[in-house]
Amino acid sequence: MKNIKLGGLLLLLLGVHTNLYAQQTRTIKGRILTVEVGSKEKQPLPSASIVVLSKSDSTLVKGTTSDKEGRFTISFQPQSKKAYLLKMSFIGMQSVYRVLKDSTSVNVGTITLKDDDIQISEVVVTAKLKEIVTEGDTTVINAAAYKTPEGSYLEDLVKRVPGLVYNKNDKSLSYNGQTISEINVNGESFFSGSKETALENLPADLVSKLRVYDKRSKEEEFTSVDDGKKNYVLDLQTKDELNETWLTNAKIGFGNNRKKDLEGQANYFRKNGDNISLMLRSTNRYQNSTYKDNINNSVGLNMTKKLGKEINLSGSVNYGLNRNGNLSTTYQEQYLTGGNQYSSSASESNSKNKTISGNLFGDGKIDERTRFHFMGNFGLSPNQSENSNQNATFDAPPGIDQSNLFHDFESIPKDIRINRSENRSLSDGQSNNYMWMASVMRRMDEKGNTTVSLNLQNSDTWGTNKNFSLSNTTYYRLKDKQGNDSVLFRNQYLQSPTRNGTWRAGLSLTQLIAKKVRLQASYNWSAQYERDNRDTYELSALTSTDTFGKLPDNYEEGYVDSLSNRSRSRLNGHDLSLGVNYNDTTWMFNAMVVVSPQKRTIDRKIGKLSADTTMNTVDFQPMMWLTWRKKELQLSLNYDGMTRQPSLSDLMPLTDNSDPLFITRGNPDLKQMFTHNLRLSFQNQAKGLSANVGWRMEQNSVTQVMIYDSQTGGRETYPININGNWGVNAGANWWKRMGKSFSLRLNANGNRDNRVSMINEDRSQEPEKSTTRASNLNCEAHLAYQPTWGGIDLTTGWQYQYSLNSVNNNNTFTRNYRFGLESYVDLPFGLQLRSDATYELRGGTNIQKDDENEILWNAGATYRFLKKKTAELSAYWSDILSDKKNYTRTATSDGFYEYRSQQIRGYFIVSFKYNFRTMM
């Protein structure tokens, strides 16, 4: 009885303390609206600035911004007997002030901000236009402060804004070192956030302001819990005079080497965020392989629509047809204890892929305390491909040019040859998928201290692939009965139907337990299934050697049981998570642990061998994010850990010998893996400085033991657990604006990796560990000059790669120096000239003399004419010196790889584009 009374007393004291604690915090809520020019309809005003000020001296106490619905909530700790003001403002609008009452909860209702259009007769005030303004967590860039030539696109505007960097090569966009994930128009996603589509097609004079901010997810907005993940967006605010306007354009371009570029586009925008976009394109301009039938055709429709004030919808439908071919070569050094193995391959491939896909997103309110969110997508992808490949293996370097190895194959000494294979394949497949999910979020009280979410998700993927395979493999160290080199010939047909799907349902709770401290708990149930079959038919005895790609009527007589398999697997899992979140203007802390008990079953049959197993496992995923921020400074420490179970196919003790040169088998004794990732990052946006350092380590990594057959050159692999995989990385970026026109950007990053695997050249011996330590260092300097008449960019970079393997102390290195110049000038009468050149100097292991130097020089001219420069005639010459090369080099734990592909050596294309606008 005493214990019960004591427990009740403690609960009472805790309740009193929590109540008093809550009373010390003052919370203000409201909504900001505005009235568009020429309209009487009020619209929500996102990103408006809301600040709490001390009434006596206007000292800033706390600040925030309104969400896309114009709503805001701000909490602060008031001092006794001190009065406060609430200021609501937006650039170009009259500020509104409210005196705050001495209440723990204040609702100021709906506030309408009006344009600051006060005019004084015969008085002219001249002031410098502010280029960049910070409003809470949002950076607002005034587009009018950066002049661009008439007819320019958004890309030209972005180049002139300090801190904004667009890389056309990888289509990446960043602001002061922060990656921008998508581009929005008036607060809503444009063409699924495609940066390339927006930057290279939208006119610069469409934009009045550019906003850069961290776009919070629906869950973050509703629960007020910062999950620590950043999603920076560039939000384009369109000019009022372009509201409800169709922006359309059409382009046609042709050049040598069968180059063509045809495009049509139409975009419609409204200030409230509604937009619709249609794009049609047929081009091979950016496909540079020598395959003559390269083409990429696409049709896309994207839409965003508000239904009333409470429901938002967005979706897209896309069709694509892509034909792509390639001629390539691959060189490999396989590290072995008794001496390395060397292999070369040459491949010619072409493919034809069609895709029909679509998606739909929606969210809205059921009432003031309940929101819903749903999404769905589907995809249909028929595909065809054809491939011809030659491969040869040696126990010493062949000593001839890799790109012409099979033309001069007979000149290679016979005593170093191990095998040679010629392969041809033809496949026809179909893949289909769909996914849908829905969630409902409910605030259980007016203040939102308790939030409950319910979600449901389902996905399914199914398809089949039909493949004809013709192979001829010669083994130079195996003899047949007549004493000749042994030859294995196969003419096969394979059918591979697959299907897998997932159901998932979950419930989550967010609870305020103290000032700015929230507890998060969730439970998710999931069920997954997978079916994977392969039926193999040998056609050698059923058809002539000249017949390929046709199925004889009696093909089922060639069924090969030993080369066929059946796999079925199921997984039932439960995810239980518990976390705590603290967030104020200075600190953000998130800690969470996820526990996932699972039951996994698999039934597999290869030939006449079969195996089945059931496993009960538990996975763990601990996570922690800690961020300190003060004005422009931010310091973050992140840790992510994850356990991972071996794949069920790796666990099955069956041998798959369908490829005689690459035999695989499983290992039922594999253990659970554990990966650790730690990252420390620093940012100072005012100084343009950012830096980070990271560490990664794996426990019980799964690696493949390789058993090498010196007679055939074949490999047999099976998985085992191993420790020793780790890596460290670091990087730093510095950006500096000098005056109005100059900017300097310095980047440096590097990493050190330790990679381990196992090799074995004798079945009777224990496998030997193979360790490769690889280092990479990359430095780059970028100087830009952006006057009103054009721009000049200078870039220089240095990259160094080195690897050392423990087997026979094999080492490789690559050293690259790169110098680049990009410039453009805007001349009178709408003429713009562009040119860019890059010189690259290479050196290192196996670098051939022809590959030591590369100069890429491109040039173009654009002439804009007619009223408002709506017409555009352009010419572009790519790789003027015909010196372009394409190859990559990689070092792994067990070997060194080099890949090359044939490229078009320069092309010329002339295009005409016309833009026009239609007011609704």
Side-chain angles (χ1 to χ4, degrees), residues 589-606:
F589 175 75
N590 250 358
M592 179 177 291
V593 62
V594 182
V595 182
S596 304
Q598 298 175 346
K599 181 180 180 180
R600 312 164 75 202
T601 62
I602 186 171
D603 181 3
R604 192 174 190 188
K605 179 181 179 182
I606 298 179

Side-chain angles (χ1 to χ4, degrees), residues 12 49 51 151 157 191 194 244 252 480 649 785 797 800 872 916:
L12 178 61
S49 175
V51 295
L157 173 61
F191 234 105
S194 171
E244 299 187 4
I252 180 171
D480 59 17
S649 58
Y785 175 53
Y800 179 74
E872 181 181 302
F916 53 96

Side-chain angles (χ1 to χ4, degrees), residues 44-281:
L45 183 61
S47 301
S49 175
I50 298 96
V51 295
V52 176
L53 305 174
S54 172
K55 189 176 180 181
S56 59
D57 55 8
S58 298
T59 303
L60 176 65
V61 178
K62 188 71 176 290
T64 188
T65 57
S66 58
D67 62 19
K68 69 178 182 179
E69 297 295 332
R71 291 184 171 83
F72 68 88
T73 300
I74 186 170
S75 299
F76 70 101
Q77 193 79 19
Q79 296 182 15
S80 178
K81 297 181 181 181
K82 193 170 184 178
Y84 295 92
L85 287 174
L86 183 69
K87 178 184 176 182
M88 292 152 285
S89 61
F90 194 86
I91 291 179
M93 295 184 179
Q94 301 176 28
S95 300
V96 173
Y97 295 84
R98 291 286 188 271
V99 177
L100 297 177
K101 300 178 182 180
D102 294 332
S103 174
T104 58
S105 180
V106 179
N107 191 334
V108 298
T110 299
I111 305 297
T112 302
L113 299 185
K114 299 179 180 180
D115 286 339
D116 192 4
D117 55 359
I118 300 175
Q119 298 180 358
I120 303 176
S121 177
E122 298 183 0
V123 175
V124 177
V125 178
T126 302
K128 182 180 178 181
L129 185 64
K130 288 187 177 181
E131 298 179 357
I132 300 177
V133 178
T134 301
E135 297 178 351
D137 294 332
T138 301
T139 300
V140 181
I141 302 164
N142 197 325
Y146 305 95
K147 300 298 182 182
T148 56
E150 191 173 16
S152 298
Y153 296 102
L154 182 61
E155 179 184 356
D156 297 308
L157 173 61
V158 164
K159 283 185 176 181
R160 299 180 183 275
V161 177
L164 272 175
V165 178
Y166 175 52
N167 188 327
K168 292 197 69 168
N169 294 326
D170 59 11
K171 311 303 179 185
S172 64
L173 180 66
S174 63
Y175 180 66
N176 286 345
Q178 293 287 347
T179 299
I180 293 177
S181 59
E182 63 179 67
I183 290 182
N184 291 178
V185 176
N186 295 326
E188 299 295 338
S189 179
F190 170 75
F191 234 105
S192 301
S194 171
K195 298 184 286 292
E196 176 185 1
T197 303
L199 290 167
E200 299 181 10
N201 290 277
L202 293 182
D205 64 357
L206 168 77
V207 182
S208 63
K209 294 181 178 66
L210 301 94
R211 303 178 184 278
V212 180
Y213 56 88
D214 178 17
K215 189 176 184 179
R216 306 178 76 189
S217 66
K218 304 299 181 184
E219 291 76 11
E220 285 182 284
E221 290 180 358
F222 199 73
T223 63
S224 300
V225 175
D226 190 338
D227 62 7
K229 301 176 183 178
K230 299 301 180 183
N231 179 38
Y232 287 98
V233 301
L234 178 65
D235 189 5
L236 312 178
Q237 301 294 300
T238 59
K239 294 180 178 178
D240 291 339
E241 59 267 28
L242 295 178
N243 187 34
E244 299 187 4
T245 300
W246 281 97
L247 305 175
T248 55
N249 64 63
K251 181 173 72 173
I252 180 171
F254 292 97
N256 64 337
N257 287 310
R258 298 183 177 88
K259 288 292 184 180
K260 73 173 185 177
D261 193 10
L262 311 176
E263 182 181 309
Q265 189 175 157
N267 300 292
Y268 172 76
F269 303 105
R270 294 186 65 192
K271 291 290 289 184
N272 68 347
D274 287 357
N275 64 66
I276 185 170
S277 300
L278 174 66
M279 177 178 286
L280 303 91
R281 192 168 195 182

Side-chain angles (χ1 to χ4, degrees), residues 304-341:
T304 299
K305 178 66 177 176
K306 293 182 180 294
L307 302 179
K309 296 182 179 181
E310 307 298 343
I311 299 178
N312 304 314
L313 293 177
S314 64
S316 65
V317 179
N318 299 278
Y319 167 80
L321 169 62
N322 184 41
R323 287 200 301 267
N324 190 30
N326 197 24
L327 294 171
S328 63
T329 61
T330 303
Y331 170 76
Q332 176 186 356
E333 292 184 13
Q334 184 75 52
Y335 301 144
L336 298 171
T337 56
N340 292 352
Q341 180 193 97

Side-chain angles (χ1 to χ4, degrees), residues 150 170 442 624 689:
E150 191 173 16
D170 59 11
R442 170 77 175 174
M624 186 275 291
L689 182 65

Side-chain angles (χ1 to χ4, degrees), residues 287 291 293-298 318-325 349-356 380-386 427-431 465:
Q287 293 172 285
Y291 182 62
D293 292 328
N294 282 343
I295 195 66
N296 191 329
N297 299 324
S298 60
N318 299 278
Y319 167 80
L321 169 62
N322 184 41
R323 287 200 301 267
N324 190 30
S349 62
N350 65 80
S351 62
K352 178 181 178 181
N353 300 301
K354 294 181 181 179
T355 58
I356 302 173
L380 308 173
S381 302
N383 59 82
Q384 297 174 339
S385 66
E386 186 173 3
S427 67
D428 188 349
Q430 171 80 39
S431 178
N465 186 67

